[in-house]
Amino acid sequence: MGSSGEKVVAVIMVGGPTKGTRFRPLSLNVAKPLFPLAGQPMVHHPISACKRIPNLAQIYLVGFYEEREFALYVSSISNELKVPVRYLREEKPHGSAGGLYNFRDRIMEDSPSHIFLLNCDVCCSFPLQEMLEAHRRYGGMGTILVIKVSAESASQFGELVADPDTKELLHYTEKPETFVSDLINCGVYVFTPDIFTAIQGVSSQRKDRANLRRVSSFEALQSATRSLPTDFVRLDQDILSPLAGKKQLYTYETMDFWEQIKTPGMSLKCSALYLAQFRYTSPHLLASGDGSKSATIIGDVFIHPSAKVHPTAKIGPNVSISANARIGPGARLISCIILDDVEVMENAVVIHAIVGWKSSIGRWSRVQAAGDFNAKLGITILGEAVSVEDEVVVVNSIVLPNKTLNVSVQEEIIL
Amino acid sequence: MKALILVGGFGTRLRPLTLSVPKPLVEFANKPMILHQIEALKEIGVTEVVLAINYQPEVMLNFLKEFEAKLGIKITCSQETEPLGTAGPLALARDKLIDDSGEPFFVLNSDVISEYPLKEMIEFHKAHGGEASIMVTKVDEPSKYGVVVMEESTGKVERFVEKPKIFVGNKINAGIYLLNPSVLNRIELRPTSIEKEVFPKIAADKQLYGMVLPGFWMDIGQPRDYITGLRLYLDSLRKKSSSRLATGPHVVGNVLVDETAKIGDGCLIGPDVAIGPGCVVESGVRLSRCTVMRGVRIKKHACISSSIIGWHSTVGQWARVENMTILGEDVHVCDEIYSNGGVVLPHKEIKSSILKPEIVM
């Protein structure tokens, strides 16, 4: 069992540029893990959560992006949090478990007793300490963070069945067509180093089958995994499913919020969730004001210290304003993310939108959307350096970088 | 003799193609757009071309090095730090355009495709002795553009009318100018419009003359006009009996095929098609009124019309792609899919049909 001197290592999977175009148009300008939610890069939230784990030795970010995309961030966050954070680049895709296995030597350098595996694009309260304590009690190889969702939405995720008393994982299936369970996989796990043995087991099994196949062509027709390389191991299908019910894997249920950040619309929703969380964990990060000396603030609002907001503006709820942004007199911002160097001019209105870096919002112009985080055009998104001229109205639209809008638009994608 | 090509900015109207490559380097009829102009300038003796750019200079500079050597013409860049409009860049490049010879210099707009009768323009310019010459072209719907009102016999420009509501003339600015160095004294280094501020003043001084452009003209800055422009360009090649046009039983009308492209059996290609280097067109394919960029594979039995297929994309077997479908770089249309006007951003796979024009991000 764990003693308080044992070290813990965290691994955060950050993905890569070709995987998924759902984060466009924002991903045309920034790597998704670095897109800000509630004023901090997306990956910052799981990293800060990891920092709260006692005896944390190291945090690894694993992904396909070029090293230089993360170099600056990684060195500044290491300094700020006083914990080593390193980016490890996967040369080729190994699958969610294969990636972990690929870097096992680095991960095991500090001889950790436990390894956390988190997905960067998950938005939740990351109850990592509680998960670790539960994991130690269960005594298994791994513990999965799970949450109850509505029966209708469960099929988008990995559905799990857990023993209500022992919390053991009894059954796991990825995106099933029929209803299995309303308990789903949150994409946050804690393992003991035995996980590497399990992953290697899958690899060898696949290698053996591949060798066998050269002998039996009938086998070749049967196997669904014949096209997967032997070192490509998926956590869900190859580890969780087969090991369910074998007293190796357990579950820890979170009662807090949980969302996946796959689209720009979801990033606005998750930014609001994190801002609400700041109210409890770090209220000093949130802005306040009543219109006398500084702008009127409603609800949860983050304003970067270098941003300038005119005292007659009214901001919030759910607004995040990034570095060097300028919000002019009489502006009204509701449920939006204003990125670096944006200028919002007098009396402009922004509702349910993301305004890209260096954009400008003209006087009396209106940038808004219905606010349906899941719809394709549910949030208005302005890419980098978009200029909305005075009095123009932009509704439920997506505008790619470097465009100037001098006429109003509705329900459009503007390339 | 010198020339300036106004390359300008982001080329957003040619997205998604310009998400991968800066606009002047997007190929037209299998040759980067800007190369058509540079070659025409070289042919009449221009020794130095200045590119006025304000976006992605690194990509442009690499291209230049390659072509400077190949073409034997000096190519330099003049980079705007803020957008200077259509006249400001001339002021910025002043030192590069003026030498002691006092010769006039050409200014071309990078989106324009035409036959470039530059030699005739030089003669026209010498004959009238005015400060500036501007090429004009006849269009059917002049009120979409800036109309140039000129004296019929001499070509002397009386005035410019932007998007006229009543008919004042049918000749519009074709974006090709020949200017005496003295014109630079009229342009300040600030965002300025050559049509709205500079030319009207020269016309008032009775120093501006317009020459009607013989042959075709097209602004290919957006996909619809790009496709029409290809038809006009290939038509003009045909008139010059160019050996560059493809021949054979599988060819209909004017078709350009790069020598490294492969075409299978039973295909019908044309009219008005350009197929780029390294393309593979498998058997039984029908292509009409379309451009197929470098490295594309069109699989068997597919049918493509009025579309642009971006670099290294693939179009699946029996797929039907038509009605202004624009595929960005590395887009893969699955077998049997129908795309009716889909505009697809780079690095996408199209697994379900696009029944009406829509943007796929």
Side-chain angles (χ1 to χ4, degrees):
Chain A
M1 287 294 153
S3 76
S4 56
E6 287 182 347
K7 298 204 191 123
V8 177
V9 167
V11 176
I12 304 178
M13 307 299 279
V14 298
T18 53
K19 250 177 74 72
T21 55
R22 280 190 282 173
F23 208 67
R24 287 175 173 171
L26 300 173
S27 54
L28 294 175
N29 287 102
V30 75
K32 187 172 92 169
L34 297 177
F35 182 78
L37 304 178
Q40 301 282 9
M42 190 184 295
V43 72
H44 185 96
H45 298 274
I47 289 179
S48 321
C50 289
K51 174 81 173 124
R52 298 198 295 269
I53 307 168
N55 301 315
L56 178 75
Q58 184 89 241
I59 300 178
Y60 288 108
L61 307 183
V62 172
F64 304 88
Y65 291 98
E66 298 285 322
E67 261 120 5
R68 59 181 159 75
E69 298 230 41
F70 280 89
L72 268 174
Y73 174 74
V74 153
S75 85
S76 90
I77 197 72
S78 295
N79 274 328
E80 187 187 319
L81 295 184
K82 307 266 182 292
V83 66
V85 179
R86 279 201 188 81
Y87 175 70
L88 300 175
R89 180 167 188 253
E90 283 189 89
E91 293 305 323
K92 62 179 173 92
H94 297 94
S96 39
L100 188 69
Y101 186 77
N102 186 45
F103 292 113
R104 66 193 178 286
D105 294 332
R106 301 291 299 266
I107 295 167
M108 293 305 296
E109 250 172 25
D110 294 286
S111 307
S113 59
H114 294 90
I115 300 151
F116 273 94
L117 178 64
L118 305 89
N119 280 304
C120 173
D121 59 1
V122 154
C123 165
C124 69
S125 60
F126 296 107
L128 305 179
Q129 217 175 327
E130 296 89 318
M131 258 179 94
L132 187 56
E133 281 160 25
H135 175 80
R136 285 193 170 120
R137 283 196 314 269
Y138 302 141
M141 181 184 73
T143 297
I144 309 163
L145 187 69
V146 300
I147 190 172
K148 267 207 181 67
V149 296
S150 73
E152 305 85 57
S153 55
S155 57
Q156 301 163 43
F157 309 105
E159 293 182 14
L160 317 106
V161 178
D163 184 300
D165 301 310
T166 66
K167 306 295 180 198
E168 190 204 336
L169 176 71
L170 296 176
H171 186 79
Y172 181 91
T173 180
E174 183 70 12
K175 294 192 183 63
E177 284 175 13
T178 56
F179 178 78
V180 172
S181 164
D182 57 1
L183 206 58
I184 59 139
N185 177 359
C186 292
V188 178
Y189 317 85
V190 60
F191 295 112
T192 57
D194 302 336
I195 183 66
F196 293 123
T197 320
I199 299 172
Q200 187 174 40
V202 173
S203 264
S204 326
Q205 230 186 3
R206 209 174 271 148
K207 211 181 286 176
D208 291 341
R209 255 196 238 121
N211 287 331
L212 201 63
R213 229 167 281 127
R214 284 190 247 287
V215 176
S216 158
S217 59
F218 178 70
E219 265 268 353
L221 288 172
Q222 296 297 304
S223 174
T225 57
R226 73 182 186 278
S227 55
L228 288 177
T230 52
D231 57 358
F232 190 95
V233 183
R234 300 153 299 181
L235 192 58
D236 308 310
Q237 292 97 316
D238 299 327
I239 305 282
L240 302 182
S241 269
L243 290 181
K246 299 202 171 117
K247 298 217 175 347
Q248 297 240 42
L249 298 173
Y250 290 82
T251 60
Y252 178 80
E253 188 177 343
T254 170
M255 307 311 244
D256 290 333
F257 60 95
W258 181 86
E259 298 287 349
Q260 268 190 315
I261 315 160
K262 295 293 188 199
T263 60
M266 284 311 294
S267 72
L268 183 56
K269 179 175 187 185
C270 294
S271 186
L273 288 171
Y274 281 135
L275 285 173
Q277 198 188 31
F278 282 168
R279 180 110 3 235
Y280 299 102
T281 61
S282 352
H284 60 279
L285 288 178
L286 294 179
S288 57
D290 60 3
S292 49
K293 285 204 208 103
S294 54
T296 309
I297 307 289
I298 312 278
D300 305 320
V301 170
F302 169 82
I303 302 179
H304 193 275
S306 65
K308 289 185 170 37
V309 181
H310 197 273
T312 57
K314 188 167 174 186
I315 316 288
N318 299 332
V319 173
S320 172
I321 301 176
S322 296
N324 296 315
R326 291 178 313 288
I327 312 298
R332 181 77 181 94
L333 305 182
I334 303 173
S335 177
C336 54
I337 295 177
I338 306 292
L339 293 168
D340 300 29
D341 301 302
V342 164
E343 180 169 16
V344 177
M345 303 211 233
E346 301 98 270
N347 308 310
V349 177
V350 180
I351 306 177
H352 297 313
I354 297 177
V355 180
W357 312 260
K358 306 194 189 84
S359 290
S360 99
I361 311 293
R363 299 175 311 159
W364 289 283
S365 66
R366 195 172 172 102
V367 174
Q368 68 173 68
D372 180 350
F373 300 113
N374 291 310
K376 186 163 116 163
L377 294 178
I379 303 289
T380 287
I381 304 165
L382 306 185
E384 186 186 42
V386 166
S387 180
V388 177
E389 294 196 346
D390 293 352
E391 296 171 50
V392 165
V393 179
V394 182
V395 182
N396 295 340
S397 296
I398 297 177
V399 184
L400 258 62
N402 306 111
K403 294 298 292 187
T404 296
L405 298 182
N406 44 28
V407 292
S408 296
V409 294
Q410 276 218 33
E411 312 275 343
E412 263 193 66
I413 298 178
I414 300 184
L415 287 190
Chain B
M1 203 171 176
K2 316 244 174 120
L4 178 87
I5 303 183
L6 292 167
V7 170
F10 309 102
T12 61
R13 288 179 305 158
L14 260 187
R15 284 175 173 163
L17 300 173
T18 47
L19 290 176
S20 302
V21 159
K23 190 184 55 170
L25 299 185
V26 172
E27 291 93 336
F28 175 79
N30 294 347
K31 191 189 299 189
M33 276 166 61
I34 203 167
L35 205 56
H36 288 266
Q37 288 141 356
I38 297 180
E39 284 178 356
L41 291 166
K42 161 116 175 108
E43 214 180 313
I44 51 125
V46 167
T47 50
E48 182 175 347
V49 177
V50 181
L51 304 184
I53 59 179
N54 66 22
Y55 184 59
Q56 293 195 312
E58 329 77 43
V59 187
M60 290 303 298
L61 289 169
N62 284 334
F63 156 85
L64 302 190
K65 286 204 202 83
E66 200 193 319
F67 282 98
E68 252 191 338
K70 266 195 210 156
L71 296 174
I73 184 173
K74 187 168 175 208
I75 309 177
T76 54
C77 272
S78 169
Q79 198 194 341
E80 296 162 51
T81 45
E82 48 151 354
L84 290 173
T86 45
L90 278 70
L92 186 65
R94 189 195 175 89
D95 297 329
K96 297 197 168 95
L97 293 170
I98 299 192
D99 56 24
D100 296 322
S101 69
E103 275 187 310
F105 58 91
F106 280 102
V107 176
L108 304 190
N109 189 303
S110 72
D111 284 353
V112 163
I113 285 289
S114 77
E115 274 168 12
Y116 293 112
L118 304 177
K119 194 145 155 290
E120 291 88 318
M121 196 176 188
I122 295 175
E123 283 156 18
F124 173 76
H125 187 79
K126 283 201 187 116
H128 67 67
E131 214 184 336
S133 299
I134 168 177
M135 205 69 98
V136 299
T137 184
K138 186 164 149 214
V139 293
D140 291 332
E141 291 185 66
S143 40
K144 288 204 253 180
Y145 306 91
V147 175
V148 181
V149 181
M150 338 180 298
E151 205 176 276
E152 277 278 345
S153 47
T154 58
K156 190 185 293 186
V157 174
E158 289 167 25
R159 64 189 198 285
F160 279 76
V161 186
E162 194 66 19
K163 294 189 179 54
K165 295 200 168 58
I166 53 161
F167 185 88
V168 295
N170 58 10
K171 312 287 191 301
I172 61 152
N173 178 0
I176 300 170
Y177 322 130
L178 183 54
L179 311 175
N180 285 353
S182 56
V183 171
L184 291 173
N185 300 333
R186 298 178 182 262
I187 307 175
E188 286 167 29
L189 183 52
R190 60 176 176 81
T192 328
S193 162
I194 206 167
E195 304 93 337
K196 296 195 182 117
E197 296 174 59
V198 182
F199 281 156
K201 292 213 183 83
I202 308 180
D205 289 346
K206 303 200 186 340
Q207 289 289 314
L208 178 64
Y209 287 78
M211 172 180 164
V212 180
L213 181 68
F216 73 97
W217 178 89
M218 201 78 219
D219 173 339
I220 56 170
Q222 51 190 354
R224 188 170 297 279
D225 297 332
Y226 178 107
I227 291 180
T228 308
L230 184 63
R231 174 174 60 78
L232 296 175
Y233 177 85
L234 293 180
D235 213 38
S236 147
L237 274 190
R238 167 76 60 192
K239 289 201 187 103
K240 296 182 198 155
S241 334
S242 175
S243 54
R244 291 173 54 206
L245 291 174
T247 52
H250 58 285
V251 174
V252 168
N254 302 327
V255 170
L256 208 56
V257 181
D258 186 272
E259 55 190 16
T260 59
K262 292 188 181 39
I263 303 194
D265 303 320
C267 289
L268 191 57
I269 315 284
D272 306 321
V273 173
I275 300 177
C279 287
V280 175
V281 178
E282 294 182 6
S283 48
V285 168
R286 176 85 184 94
L287 301 180
S288 63
R289 281 174 286 279
C290 60
T291 291
V292 179
M293 299 286 197
R294 166 193 304 271
V296 166
R297 173 178 286 268
I298 315 283
K299 296 194 182 167
K300 296 189 195 143
H301 320 296
C303 176
I304 303 180
S305 81
S306 302
S307 297
I308 304 175
I309 312 299
W311 313 265
H312 308 293
S313 292
T314 60
V315 175
Q317 295 188 31
W318 289 285
R320 192 179 177 97
V321 171
E322 60 183 23
N323 192 23
M324 298 300 305
T325 290
I326 318 287
L327 305 185
E329 181 186 18
D330 183 44
V331 169
H332 304 278
V333 176
C334 291
D335 293 350
E336 298 154 27
I337 294 296
Y338 173 51
S339 167
N340 175 18
V343 176
V344 186
L345 264 64
H347 312 295
K348 294 289 301 178
E349 197 183 3
I350 304 299
K351 294 188 260 217
S352 49
S353 291
I354 300 169
L355 299 175
K356 51 185 177 64
E358 114 187 9
I359 296 174
V360 179
M361 277 213 289

